[in-house]
């Protein structure tokens, strides 16, 4: 039996689409065509965005779990998406849609040579402040080819669909909604369903089988397209074809119109990374939050490219001008003390900005003949936004200033006219109003600070609502509104950098923003990483510095060191997480001891070693070594049975990196401890209760476990510089737990209920959100 395309279509149960004839109405074409293409696009998008958190999980442990890892991965994926769209645009215009399909089917087979996905994480750089190049290169080698090939699916399958005789073929843009819906389902489904159910190795294998299924679907789409014939006069013969996008003439694309598309794509992409960094470092450092802005970003595409508009564009713009002003103001002020209250404002404002920008793009989409170029320019804007936040901003800004500044750029982008970049002709007048407005706001802020009017954190209602009201009064003039917001944000950025504490040091790198400040009275140096205080030293006790914050002698750390120092002979102590070196204080360290600090951030090591800032390391009587690199990976290189105690004090913002709390990690720590050694964990956290997790790990690995909750009054905090904290100790025998109970208020931890044990393959943070205190 001879095998041909017709027979293949029959075997695959594909609809046979005859050439368009007068006796066949387009509505009679089998609905399986649309279903096939929608399913293929959905599956490709699902695989595309399933691999992103999966790859992020592979590389996060090697770079400390910082949000910058996720942002760098996002830039990489956006760059490959651009490469995929460029390939589609070039190949379709060079070969034509039908010939290009044959070539692409061969390209689809190439990733089978490198699957399942594997990321080479050998030789992690430890001396670099920004290991972005290393990470991008490893991602390119490990996932580059499969991701590139799948990234071509959305525009390419839409072009294939446009070549069919289906009645919707003239306007295939609605299929982009199906693509982004699949992306969103994959992204949200990963932490909820996929990661808890499958080990990382199993995920890699299942993804490979999913890719094979995608190849089969793509072949089916190509065969369907080849067997169909486009109706030349469908629109003229059938007046029911009245969709606006379908009737767009294939006019030449003006240069400024294309630049406007890039700008409108740039803003949401940059703002997505900006809001991710802001909320995970300044508000709530919960790893699960990393995927929410990306899910919102994708959801806006689903809404704006849907055939029926659920949320009208004018309503979006009305809400945007209301929310963007106070949200932009909040970004430059201390929000951490308000807990999760600011979080919905930031996420909702980002949703509105993305809806507005993507809605403008959808309304200005070109004819189908320019489809690939439209998506290519959209991808260019996305990549530029990612590069601006992940690579340029850490060099240009010492704070997260890019986040509010992109909100300002959003106002200007939305003020431009469709199909051009022109603003209101009265731009000079609008600029003059903004200058005067900025001067008024500056005078008001200076007056209120000078007269101590309102709280020190700047959340006085007058300083928030008065500038906002003046901006809202200009909403009928978009250009003036944009200038007013720009003036307000600029003044606020400058003003709120002039805090009561004097900055001795400000820097920013891959691992976040760092500041060393001195109180107004010159009595205390404080090290702040993001929004979290990581060390304090009073200048009055430089010769014998007293550890403060979580490490005060009257707190849990003091109890543990009292137990350790009761033992005779020199002690070897390992500390994962350097901070300012508080635990190297002479109050704890003795001359015969040896302390090894493991720190992933070279900038933190430089700050701790600088005696102009802190003197814990300089005045430590013990022998000190600072080892750069991820704590778990570098600790593995130390001798077995070597340490009397290991302290886990590593934090990514306010959350301990998950890879330091797995069964394999605890087994590694145990192998490095001497007989009778102690494991001490700083479990202080504002949002996650990690005690059940660590207690379960202790039981699973044969340790005894106890915890101390050191809850303090505000008066004690101010007087001593000591912070409320929670520490947990894992001991190899019960006697050490009893001794700790005799020293301080330590309580054994009992396992209540069924709690999962984290392993290197299963570390589902989402489960933690359901745990009570």
């Amino acid at each position: 039996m001879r095998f041909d395309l017709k027979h293949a279509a029959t075997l695959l149960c594909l609809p046979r689409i005859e050439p368009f004839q007068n006796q066949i109405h387009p509505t009679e074409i089998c609905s399986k065509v649309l279903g096939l293409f929608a399913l293929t696009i959905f599956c490709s998008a699902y695989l595309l965005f399933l691999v992103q958190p999966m790859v992020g999980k592979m590389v996060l442990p090697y770079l400390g779990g910082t949000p910058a890892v996720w942002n760098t991965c996002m830039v990489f994926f956006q760059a490959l998406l651009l490469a995929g769209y460029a390939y589609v645009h070039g190949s379709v215009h060079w070969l034509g849609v039908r010939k290009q399909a044959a070539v692409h089917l061969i390209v689809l087979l190439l990733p089978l040579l490198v699957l399942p996905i594997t990321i080479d994480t050998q030789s992690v750089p430890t001396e670099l402040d920004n290991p972005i190049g290393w990470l991008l290169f490893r991602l390119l080698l490990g996932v580059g080819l499969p991701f590139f090939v799948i990234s071509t699916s959305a525009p390419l399958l839409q072009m294939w669909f446009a070549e069919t005789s289906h009645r919707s073929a003239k306007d295939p843009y609605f299929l982009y909604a199906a693509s982004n819906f699949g992306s969103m389902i994959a992204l949200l489904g990963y932490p909820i369903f996929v990661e808890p159910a499958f080990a990382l190795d199993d995920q890699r294998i299942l993804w490979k089988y999913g890719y094979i299924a995608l190849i089969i679907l793509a072949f089916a789409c190509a065969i369907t397209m080849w067997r169909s014939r486009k109706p030349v006069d469908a629109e003229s013969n059938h007046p029911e074809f009245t969709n606006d996008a379908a009737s767009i003439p294939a006019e030449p694309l003006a240069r400024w119109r294309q630049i406007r598309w890039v700008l409108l794509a740039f803003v949401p992409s940059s703002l997505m990374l900006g809001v991710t960094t802001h909320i995970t470092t300044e508000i709530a450092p919960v790893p699960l939050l990393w995927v929410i802005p990306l899910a919102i970003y994708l959801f806006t595409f689903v809404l704006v490219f849907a055939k029926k508009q659920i949320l009208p564009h004018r309503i979006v713009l009305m809400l945007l001008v209301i929310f963007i002003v106070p949200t932009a103001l909040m970004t430059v002020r201390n929000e951490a003390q308000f807990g999760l209250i600011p979080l919905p404002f930031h996420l909702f404002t980002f949703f509105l900005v993305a809806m507005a920008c993507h809605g403008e793009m959808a309304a200005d989409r070109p004819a189908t003949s320019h489809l690939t170029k439209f998506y290519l320019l959209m991808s260019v804007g996305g990549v530029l936004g990612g590069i601006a936040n992940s690579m340029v901003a850490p060099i240009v800004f010492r704070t997260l200033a890019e986040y509010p500044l992109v909100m300002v750029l959003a106002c200007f982008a939305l003020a431009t006219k469709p199909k051009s970049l022109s603003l209101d002709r009265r731009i000079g007048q609008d600029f003059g109003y903004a200058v005067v407005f900025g001067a008024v706001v500056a005078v008001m802020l200076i007056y209120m600070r000078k007269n101590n009017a309102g709280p020190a954190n700047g959340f006085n209602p007058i300083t928030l609502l008065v500038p906002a009201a003046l901006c809202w009064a200009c909403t009928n003039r978009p250009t003036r509104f944009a200038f007013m917001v720009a003036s307000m944000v600029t003044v606020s950025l400058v003003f709120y950098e002039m805090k009561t504490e004097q900055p001795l040091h400000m820097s920013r790198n891959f691992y976040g923003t760092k500041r060393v400040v001195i109180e107004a009275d010159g009595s205390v140096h404080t090290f702040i990483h993001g929004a979290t205080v990581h060390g304090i030293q009073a200048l009055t006790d430089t010769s014998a510095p007293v550890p403060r914050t979580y490490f005060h002698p009257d707190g849990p750390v003091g109890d543990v060191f009292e137990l350790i120092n009761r033992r005779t002979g020199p002690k070897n102590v390992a500390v994962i997480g350097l901070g300012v070196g508080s635990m190297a204080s002479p109050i704890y360290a003795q001359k015969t001891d040896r302390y090894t600090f493991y720190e992933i951030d070279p900038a933190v090591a430089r700050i701790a070693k600088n005696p102009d800032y802190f003197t814990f390391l300089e005045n430590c009587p013990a022998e000190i070594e600072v080892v750069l690199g991820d704590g778990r990976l570098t600790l593995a290189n130390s001798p077995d049975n070597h340490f009397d105690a290991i302290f886990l004090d590593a934090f990514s913002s306010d959350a301990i990196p998950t890879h330091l709390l797995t069964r394999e990690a605890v087994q590694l720590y145990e192998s490095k401890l001497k007989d009778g050694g102690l494991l001490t964990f700083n479990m202080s956290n504002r949002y996650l209760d990690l005690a059940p997790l660590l207690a379960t790990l202790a039981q699973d690995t044969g340790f005894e476990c106890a915890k101390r909750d050191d809850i303090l009054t505000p008066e004690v905090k101010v007087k001593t510089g000591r912070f409320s904290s929670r520490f947990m100790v894992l001991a190899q025998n019960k006697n050490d737990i009893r001794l700790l109970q005799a020293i301080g208020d330590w309580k054994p931890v009992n396992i209540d209920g069924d709690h999962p044990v984290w392993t290197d393959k299963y570390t589902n943070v989402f489960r933690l959100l359901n745990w009570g205190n």
Side-chain angles (χ1 to χ4, degrees):
M1 179 174 61
R2 185 172 62 88
F3 184 83
D4 56 15
L5 292 179
K6 177 180 177 181
H7 183 62
T10 304
L11 292 177
L12 291 170
C13 300
L14 299 176
R16 184 181 180 189
I17 306 176
E18 300 291 349
F20 183 78
Q21 298 176 358
N22 290 333
Q23 69 271 23
I24 301 178
H25 193 278
T27 57
E28 299 176 15
I29 298 177
C30 183
S31 62
K32 290 182 180 180
V33 175
L34 179 59
L36 173 64
F37 277 87
L39 176 62
T40 307
I41 288 180
F42 178 91
C43 290
S44 67
Y46 185 86
L47 290 174
L48 196 69
F49 278 80
L50 188 67
V51 77
Q52 295 187 29
M54 186 171 74
V55 169
K57 180 178 170 63
M58 293 179 185
V59 299
L60 272 173
Y62 298 92
L63 294 168
T66 172
V69 177
W70 176 252
N71 285 354
T72 304
C73 289
M74 285 301 304
V75 173
F76 170 79
F77 293 130
Q78 287 174 322
L80 279 189
L81 192 68
L82 172 61
Y85 285 7
Y87 155 78
V88 173
H89 179 69
S91 60
V92 166
H93 282 73
W94 183 36
L95 298 174
V97 177
R98 294 173 180 266
K99 291 182 180 178
Q100 191 274 346
V103 174
H104 186 70
L105 293 181
I106 299 174
V107 173
L108 273 172
L109 301 176
L110 296 179
L112 295 176
L113 301 175
V114 298
L115 291 178
I117 293 169
T118 303
I119 306 294
D120 180 12
T121 51
Q122 301 298 317
S123 63
V124 181
T126 59
E127 301 290 339
L128 298 178
D129 281 7
N130 293 291
I132 293 176
W134 176 88
L135 178 56
L136 292 176
F137 182 68
R138 298 301 180 194
L139 291 173
L140 181 63
L141 293 180
V143 73
L145 181 59
F147 192 93
F148 165 78
V149 174
I150 296 184
S151 70
T152 65
S153 299
L156 192 57
L157 288 169
Q158 289 179 60
M159 289 298 296
W160 291 3
F161 181 73
E163 288 290 307
T164 69
S165 304
H166 196 278
R167 61 180 179 178
S168 298
K170 283 287 185 179
D171 182 24
Y173 286 98
F174 70 92
L175 288 174
Y176 197 56
S179 171
N180 285 282
F181 182 69
S183 304
M184 188 178 64
I185 293 297
L187 196 66
L188 296 179
Y190 183 83
I192 300 174
F193 302 111
V194 177
E195 204 272 347
F198 301 102
L200 195 53
D201 290 340
D202 296 332
Q203 294 172 33
R204 294 165 55 244
I205 298 300
L206 290 174
W207 197 90
K208 176 181 178 179
Y209 290 134
Y211 183 78
I212 293 174
L214 176 64
I215 292 176
I216 296 173
L217 288 172
F219 268 78
C221 288
I223 293 172
T224 300
M225 183 264 295
W226 284 329
R227 289 171 52 81
S228 66
R229 293 292 183 271
K230 291 185 66 175
V232 178
D233 298 321
E235 290 184 58
S236 58
N237 293 340
H238 298 281
E240 67 267 29
F241 287 154
T242 58
N243 184 287
D244 291 339
S247 60
I248 297 175
E251 60 184 13
L253 297 177
R255 180 185 303 174
W256 292 115
R257 185 183 182 190
Q258 298 178 52
I259 295 175
R260 185 172 185 263
W261 290 342
V262 173
L263 177 62
L264 290 170
F266 173 93
V267 170
S269 174
S270 175
L271 203 61
M272 175 184 65
L273 300 184
V275 73
T276 299
T277 303
H278 182 79
I279 66 177
T280 56
T281 57
E282 306 290 334
I283 300 177
V286 180
L288 180 67
L289 292 180
W290 298 0
V291 301
I292 294 179
L294 180 55
I296 292 173
Y297 177 82
L298 297 172
F299 185 55
T300 61
F301 280 116
V302 175
L303 294 178
V304 301
F305 281 96
K307 279 195 169 185
K308 184 178 181 181
Q309 295 300 310
I310 300 174
L311 187 59
H313 191 63
R314 59 182 181 84
I315 301 297
V316 171
L317 294 178
M318 286 174 51
L319 292 173
L320 177 60
V321 297
I322 295 173
F323 279 88
I324 197 169
V325 177
T327 304
L329 280 176
M330 286 192 297
T331 60
V332 297
R333 311 182 186 197
N334 181 16
E335 301 171 281
Q337 60 185 304
F338 296 98
L340 297 176
I341 294 175
L343 181 61
F345 287 93
H346 288 281
L347 293 177
F348 187 61
T349 301
F350 168 61
F351 167 75
L352 293 174
V353 172
M355 278 291 296
C357 292
H358 292 157
E360 289 285 334
M361 293 187 68
D364 192 31
R365 64 190 186 272
T368 306
S369 58
H370 296 303
L371 180 146
T372 57
K373 191 166 191 178
F374 176 72
Y375 286 125
L376 177 64
L377 293 173
M378 181 190 297
S379 184
V380 169
V383 172
L384 292 177
I387 292 174
N389 278 64
S390 296
M391 300 180 184
V392 178
I395 298 174
V396 176
F397 302 117
R398 296 182 298 179
T399 63
L400 300 179
E402 70 274 11
Y403 179 40
L405 290 178
V406 173
M407 291 191 198
V408 172
L409 182 60
C411 296
F412 281 105
L414 294 170
T416 59
K417 298 177 181 179
K419 300 187 179 182
S420 72
L421 273 180
S422 60
L423 295 168
D424 195 301
R425 292 183 178 180
R426 295 168 290 182
I427 187 172
Q429 186 182 20
D430 294 334
F431 179 77
Y433 272 101
V435 171
V436 174
F437 168 68
V440 171
V441 172
V443 170
M444 180 182 66
L445 293 175
I446 293 172
Y447 173 81
M448 297 192 72
R449 169 170 289 181
K450 185 177 180 180
N451 292 276
N452 296 318
N457 59 49
F459 271 89
N460 186 290
I462 296 177
T463 65
L464 185 66
L465 294 178
V466 170
L470 292 174
C471 289
W472 290 331
C474 302
T475 53
N476 62 325
R477 296 275 297 275
T479 304
R480 180 176 296 180
F481 176 79
F483 275 117
M484 296 278 276
V485 174
S487 178
M488 177 192 64
V489 169
T490 303
V491 170
S492 297
L493 282 172
V494 173
F495 181 79
Y496 287 103
E497 283 301 319
M498 300 164 54
K499 302 176 185 285
T500 54
E501 308 97 341
Q502 300 301 314
L504 296 175
H505 171 89
M506 293 183 68
S507 64
R508 180 179 177 184
N509 65 3
F510 183 81
Y511 301 100
T513 60
K514 285 156 277 287
R515 288 185 294 140
V516 179
V517 298
I518 182 171
E519 295 292 339
D521 59 4
S523 62
V524 174
H525 283 183
T526 303
F527 173 43
I528 305 171
H529 193 170
T532 305
V533 175
H534 280 289
I536 291 177
Q537 181 176 347
L539 302 185
T540 56
D541 54 13
T542 53
S543 59
V546 176
R548 300 174 190 269
T549 64
Y550 307 106
F551 315 107
H552 197 278
D554 294 334
V557 171
D559 296 343
V560 176
F561 271 107
E562 182 176 338
L563 178 60
I564 294 171
N565 288 331
R566 286 180 181 180
R567 302 172 183 177
T568 59
K571 269 79 68 177
N572 286 317
V573 177
V575 183
I576 297 180
L578 175 59
V580 299
S582 298
M583 281 187 269
S585 169
I587 294 177
Y588 300 141
Q590 300 176 359
K591 190 173 182 179
T592 57
D593 297 342
R594 177 182 173 85
Y595 278 57
T596 306
F597 289 90
Y598 297 92
E599 174 57 50
I600 195 170
D601 189 346
V604 172
R606 291 193 294 268
I607 290 171
K609 291 177 180 180
N610 190 335
D612 293 335
Y613 302 150
F614 303 98
T615 61
F616 290 107
L617 297 183
E618 183 183 61
N619 294 324
C620 180
E623 182 182 351
I624 294 289
E625 181 183 9
V626 177
V627 179
L628 292 178
D630 177 78
R632 177 175 164 183
L633 298 178
T634 49
L635 180 67
N637 298 326
S638 64
D640 291 341
N641 304 311
H642 182 66
F643 294 108
D644 295 272
I646 298 177
F647 288 84
L648 273 294
D649 186 48
F651 282 82
S652 175
S653 299
D654 193 50
I656 188 168
T658 58
H659 70 288
L660 299 180
L661 293 175
T662 65
R663 175 190 292 141
E664 292 83 355
V666 173
Q667 290 170 345
L668 170 68
Y669 309 147
E670 182 181 20
S671 70
K672 304 302 176 182
L673 285 174
K674 295 179 181 178
D675 291 338
L678 299 176
L679 272 178
T680 304
F681 293 79
N682 185 353
M683 309 300 284
S684 308
N685 193 282
R686 286 177 287 173
Y687 304 103
L688 301 179
D689 178 19
L690 299 170
L693 168 67
L694 192 58
T696 306
L697 281 171
Q699 185 182 67
D700 184 71
T701 52
F703 277 99
E704 302 294 329
C705 182
K707 72 173 180 178
R708 176 180 170 183
D709 291 323
D710 195 28
I711 309 301
L712 307 175
T713 63
E715 293 77 18
V716 173
K717 293 180 183 179
V718 172
K719 183 177 180 180
T720 64
R722 176 177 158 199
F723 288 3
S724 296
S725 63
R726 167 179 286 182
F727 277 78
M728 298 182 70
V729 168
L730 273 59
Q732 294 172 334
N733 58 74
K734 289 185 178 181
N735 187 53
D736 286 330
I737 300 297
R738 287 194 290 266
L739 290 173
L740 276 176
Q741 289 179 281
I743 295 172
D745 188 22
W746 291 84
K747 294 180 176 61
V749 181
N750 298 316
I751 306 300
D752 221 2
D754 181 23
H755 296 295
V757 175
W758 278 359
T759 69
D760 286 347
K761 297 180 180 180
Y762 301 92
T763 53
N764 186 249
V765 180
F766 182 80
R767 292 287 300 274
L768 288 175
L769 301 181
N770 297 322
W771 288 359
N773 289 325

